[in-house]
């Protein structure tokens, strides 16, 4: 039965939304705008997620990528969505880097964002009632799921914004005149915020820049994975020293899962320390997601006693574009309103609507299931009996001389190569690279932040471990052969070893041509050309070793980088082959240059001789035959028997010879010792064109470019 209140009655001039019940009790939406909105969202998602477009359809919108004036007649929604898809994916032919289909959860979240704009235009009283209900429901659900009793919530898009508002709240609480006097009250008693160096990068700098009134203390001796008991005592002494110097300990930022390695601070001890010095304790980190489970470790459970915590539900639950949430406890609602943690603005309260809809769509069971699934993926990779962190780190190491800087750089390079290859070959695993101050570069597997969005399954974890098992031996082999590769390169005078510690393969190499040109720019251009041709030839070889131009931002130019080693690789033969191929390219380049210069001289000489022969012909035939009318009459009665007067240009002798023997014998006489190209230069009857026949009796004609191996070229 549906109760009708006075404000539900139909009034003239107003649009009313009715909610009917079907015989089975299922609600049916009769508002046409809501139905159309849901339908449009679904159609738009299908268009944007469809990667199997025809090539002609894709080419149709390429020119529209160029910014231009706004069209006067406008465009339909389908064309705009097609343009957005083209801008997102460009000319990609594969869908490996695209986001997986969002499905129902994406539809609900995007529908929530659309409803925020739609609801904002309704009657103010209706919007107020709806926004209060949405915010109160979402806050209650989150506090119960994550064991945070009697908490309030602030919803924000930037996951750092909640901590910033909390800092302002603490400032208002500790400095009574801060609301009226501003920064002047802080001049005598400076506020101090404490955080570990293991916190996520840039957080302290962000607070300093935004607040402009706090000093951030990051003890480097606390940069280990977590605050130990001894570290807490050191922090206690540091706080006492600040109090003696007239400073005000304001807030401590702790971690329930550090950004890099996922370790949890001693939250129970830090809670006691903050109570002792009247400090605010704020906790953030990926391990807070485990508070939703029935069994929680004591170290993470202590986070429920903190003054505030920030939850990033989007990556944990695979919800796109939902806000982060900061839960906090404070008794004065006026201060929360003054600092922006609470708001009377309807738009601020409606920010929780997409999350409100998504949480209802998932339900409590599926929320817990997704978090358990991520932890189970971690446990399948961990060798420990109990998993205390939802993050697994892989560090590539190899036995070598301790303290070697080059060895450390090689290890970092190996980890870089390992991480990039794993991310490309198993994209659904979500692995990435992280640099830790103590451990160096590591490959990170953090399924709680990636698995829900990427759809990581057990098969992806198996594929990840399989690829690691295949790549680690190759990385070890490559690291071992680097020194041998460098020694072999040094044995060739025309090769130079290129040092680049960021390259994960065997190393870099550069071919140095034996050019004696005093012009430095010409020598450099020749070097670039030869090394470029050498790289192309190496890439065409049927070998498992990869050749490339190296790292994208490498300062080394005109060089070739060799990738990871393979089994049964003979480094000496590889370097010898590169050196021999470079010499062949250089010799071909020299021969081509010599041919160009010689042919130019030959053409000039041929022109001179042919012009001389033409003058002799005129003198022999007489001047009268050159007059058009008279010459035609004379040629009619007394034809002139003319023959082709051709010349053969010999590159060895540098001389022009007659082609009479060639045309009489129908062959080109070649001596056994003459292994150089011969050019036939033949004058045409009009006396203006030269016909070249290029013969290349070389032992290795492949060193000549394709254009020099044609049989006939006509120069006019």
């Amino acid at each position: 039965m549906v109760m009708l209140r006075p404000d539900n009655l139909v009034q003239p001039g107003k649009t009313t939304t009715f909610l009917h019940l079907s015989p089975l009790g299922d609600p049916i939406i009769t508002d046409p705008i809501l139905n159309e909105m849901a339908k449009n969202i679904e159609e738009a998602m299908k268009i944007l997620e469809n990667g199997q477009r025809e090539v002609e359809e894709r080419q149709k919108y390429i020119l529209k990528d160029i910014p231009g004036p706004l069209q006067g007649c406008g465009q339909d929604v389908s064309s705009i969505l097609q343009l957005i898809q083209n801008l997102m994916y460009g000319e990609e032919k594969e869908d490996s880097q695209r986001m997986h289909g969002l499905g129902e959860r994406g539809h609900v979240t995007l529908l929530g964002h659309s409803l925020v704009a739609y609801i904002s235009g309704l009657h103010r009283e209706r919007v107020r009632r709806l926004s209060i209900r949405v915010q109160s429901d979402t806050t209650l659900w989150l506090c119960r799921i994550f064991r945070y009793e009697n908490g309030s919530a602030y919803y924000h898009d930037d996951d750092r914004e909640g901590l910033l508002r909390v800092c302002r709240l603490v400032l208002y609480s500790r400095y009574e005149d801060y609301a009226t006097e501003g920064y002047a009250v802080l001049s005598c008693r400076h506020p101090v915020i404490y955080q570990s160096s293991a916190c996520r990068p840039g957080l302290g700098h962000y607070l300093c820049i935004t607040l402009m009134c706090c000093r951030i203390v990051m003890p480097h001796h606390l940069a280990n994975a977590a605050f130990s008991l001894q570290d807490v005592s050191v922090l206690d002494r540091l706080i006492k020293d600040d109090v003696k110097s007239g400073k005000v300990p304001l807030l401590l930022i702790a971690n329930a899962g550090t950004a890099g390695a996922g370790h949890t601070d001693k939250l129970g001890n830090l809670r006691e320390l903050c109570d002792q010095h009247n400090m605010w304790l704020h906790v953030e980190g990926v391990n807070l997601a485990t508070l939703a489970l029935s069994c929680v470790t004591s170290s993470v459970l202590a986070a429920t006693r903190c003054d505030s915590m920030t939850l990033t539900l989007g990556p944990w639950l695979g919800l796109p574009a939902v806000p982060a949430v900061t839960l906090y406890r404070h008794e004065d609602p006026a201060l929360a309103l003054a600092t922006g943690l609470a708001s009377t603005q309807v738009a601020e309260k409606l920010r929780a609507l997409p999350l409100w809809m998504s949480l209802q769509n998932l339900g409590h069971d599926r929320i817990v299931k997704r978090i358990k699934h991520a932890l189970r993926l971690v446990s399948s990779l961990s060798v420990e009996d109990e998993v205390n962190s939802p993050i697994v780190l892989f560090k590539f190491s190899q036995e070598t001389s301790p303290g070697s800087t080059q060895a450390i750089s090689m290890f970092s390079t190996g980890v870089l190569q390992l991480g990039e290859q794993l991310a490309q070959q198993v994209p659904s695993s979500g692995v990435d690279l992280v640099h830790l101050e103590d451990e160096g570069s590591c490959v990170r597997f953090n399924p709680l932040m990636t698995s829900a969005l990427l759809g990581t399954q057990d098969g992806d974890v198996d594929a990840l471990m399989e690829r690691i098992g295949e790549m680690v031996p190759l990385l070890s082999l490559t690291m071992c052969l680097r020194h041998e590769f460098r020694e072999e390169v040094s044995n060739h005078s025309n090769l130079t070893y290129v040092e680049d510690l960021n390259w994960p393969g065997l190393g870099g190499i550069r071919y140095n041509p034996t050019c004696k040109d005093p012009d430095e720019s010409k020598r450099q251009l020749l070097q670039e050309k030869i090394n470029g041709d050498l790289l192309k030839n190496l890439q065409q070889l049927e070998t498992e070793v990869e050749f490339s131009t190296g790292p994208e931002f490498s300062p080394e130019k005109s060089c070739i980088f060799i990738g990871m080693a393979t089994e049964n690789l003979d480094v000496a033969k590889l370097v010898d082959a590169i050196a021999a191929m470079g010499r062949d390219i250089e010799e071909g380049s020299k021969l081509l240059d010599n041919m160009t210069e010689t042919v130019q001289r030959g053409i000039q000489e041929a022109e001179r001789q042919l012009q001389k022969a033409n003058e002799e012909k005129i003198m022999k035939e007489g001047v009268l035959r050159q007059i058009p009318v008279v010459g035609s009459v004379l040629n009619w009665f007394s034809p002139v028997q003319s023959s082709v007067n051709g010349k053969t240009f010999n590159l060895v002798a540098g001389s022009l010879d007659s082609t009479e023997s060639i045309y009489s014998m129908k062959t080109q006489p070649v001596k056994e010792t003459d292994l150089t190209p011969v050019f036939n230069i033949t004058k045409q009857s009009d006396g203006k064109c030269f016909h070249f026949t290029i013969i290349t009796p070389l032992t290795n004609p492949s060193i000549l470019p394709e254009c020099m191996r044609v049989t006939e070229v006509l120069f006019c």
Side-chain angles (χ1 to χ4, degrees), residues 12-26:
K14 292 189 176 181
T15 301
T16 304
T17 301
F18 290 97
L19 179 64
H20 296 282
L21 293 179
S22 66
L24 298 178
D26 297 329

Side-chain angles (χ1 to χ4, degrees), residues 440-649:
S441 298
C442 300
V443 178
R444 178 174 57 184
F445 177 63
N446 188 4
L448 194 50
M449 295 295 290
T450 60
S451 63
L453 286 172
L454 298 177
T456 309
Q457 300 298 327
D458 295 337
D460 299 318
V461 177
D462 295 338
L464 179 65
M465 295 304 298
E466 182 180 355
R467 292 300 303 143
I468 291 176
E470 294 174 356
M471 293 185 61
V472 168
L474 295 181
L475 281 172
S476 301
L477 178 62
T478 302
M479 298 297 107
C480 293
L481 293 179
R482 272 200 169 201
H483 180 72
E484 180 182 352
F485 176 76
R486 184 170 187 169
E487 293 295 328
E488 291 294 335
V489 172
S490 62
N491 295 332
H492 295 266
S493 60
N494 56 351
L495 296 180
T496 301
Y497 179 80
V498 178
E499 183 72 36
D500 192 339
L501 297 179
N502 294 324
W503 179 248
L506 284 175
I509 195 171
R510 179 186 293 113
Y511 183 84
N512 303 312
T514 57
C515 178
K516 300 181 180 180
D517 196 318
D519 192 345
E520 177 66 24
S521 60
K522 291 184 179 180
R523 293 200 305 269
Q524 185 174 0
L525 290 175
L526 178 61
Q527 186 181 64
E528 292 178 0
K529 182 181 181 302
I530 292 179
N531 283 276
D533 295 340
L534 179 59
L535 176 60
K536 292 180 182 179
N537 293 345
L538 290 173
Q539 290 176 340
Q540 294 175 358
L541 297 177
E542 295 182 359
T543 176
E544 296 181 356
V545 180
E546 296 183 357
F547 303 91
S548 67
T549 56
E552 181 179 0
F553 301 102
S554 175
E556 300 292 343
K557 305 299 180 183
S558 303
C559 54
I560 301 167
F561 283 87
I562 293 88
M564 294 174 56
T566 58
E567 297 181 1
N568 302 323
L569 175 65
D570 192 329
V571 176
K573 290 183 178 180
L574 174 64
V575 176
D576 292 341
I578 294 175
M581 189 176 294
R583 286 192 297 269
D584 289 343
I585 295 176
E586 183 181 8
E587 292 175 0
S589 177
K590 289 181 178 179
L591 179 59
L592 180 60
D593 293 339
N594 294 335
M595 284 183 179
T596 302
E597 183 179 355
T598 306
V599 167
Q600 288 179 351
R601 292 198 306 265
I603 291 176
Q604 294 175 358
E605 178 66 19
E607 288 179 345
R608 188 183 65 81
Q609 293 193 17
L610 291 175
Q611 183 179 3
K612 180 179 180 182
N614 191 36
E615 293 175 354
E616 293 177 352
K617 176 184 176 182
I618 294 175
M619 295 300 296
K620 181 178 180 181
E621 294 178 354
V623 179
L624 292 178
R625 290 185 181 272
Q626 310 306 319
I627 301 176
V629 178
V630 178
S632 300
V633 175
L634 291 177
N635 290 332
W636 175 266
F637 289 101
S638 178
V640 177
Q641 300 295 328
S642 62
S643 60
V644 178
N645 186 15
K647 296 291 184 179
T648 298
F649 180 72

Side-chain angles (χ1 to χ4, degrees), residues 105-145:
R105 65 179 183 269
H107 183 272
V108 172
T109 305
L110 297 181
L111 182 60
H113 285 282
S114 300
L115 284 174
V116 170
Y118 171 64
I119 294 173
S120 300
L122 298 179
H123 190 273
R124 182 176 181 82
E125 182 61 23
R126 293 187 179 184
V127 178
R128 186 188 66 82
R129 291 199 307 268
L130 175 61
S131 61
I132 292 176
R133 173 64 183 274
V134 167
Q135 190 171 42
S136 61
D137 285 353
T138 310
T139 302
L140 177 62
W141 296 337
L142 293 177
C143 289
R144 289 183 177 178
I145 291 174

Side-chain angles (χ1 to χ4, degrees), residues 90-101:
E91 295 302 314
E92 293 181 8
K93 297 182 179 179
E94 299 181 358
D95 298 337
S96 59
Q97 300 299 325
R98 301 184 182 182
M99 182 179 292
H100 288 231

Side-chain angles (χ1 to χ4, degrees), residues 630-692:
V630 178
S632 300
V633 175
L634 291 177
N635 290 332
W636 175 266
F637 289 101
S638 178
V640 177
Q641 300 295 328
S642 62
S643 60
V644 178
N645 186 15
K647 296 291 184 179
T648 298
F649 180 72
N650 194 315
L651 289 177
V652 177
S655 60
L656 286 172
D657 302 327
S658 175
T659 59
E660 183 177 354
S661 59
I662 298 176
Y663 284 97
S664 61
M665 299 173 60
K666 305 296 182 182
T667 58
Q668 173 68 40
V670 180
K671 299 178 181 179
E672 295 182 358
T673 58
D674 189 2
L675 297 179
T676 58
V678 177
F679 291 76
N680 293 335
I681 307 176
T682 304
K683 174 186 174 184
Q684 297 298 320
S685 59
D686 56 2
K688 297 181 179 179
C689 295
F690 304 97
H691 184 255
F692 286 81

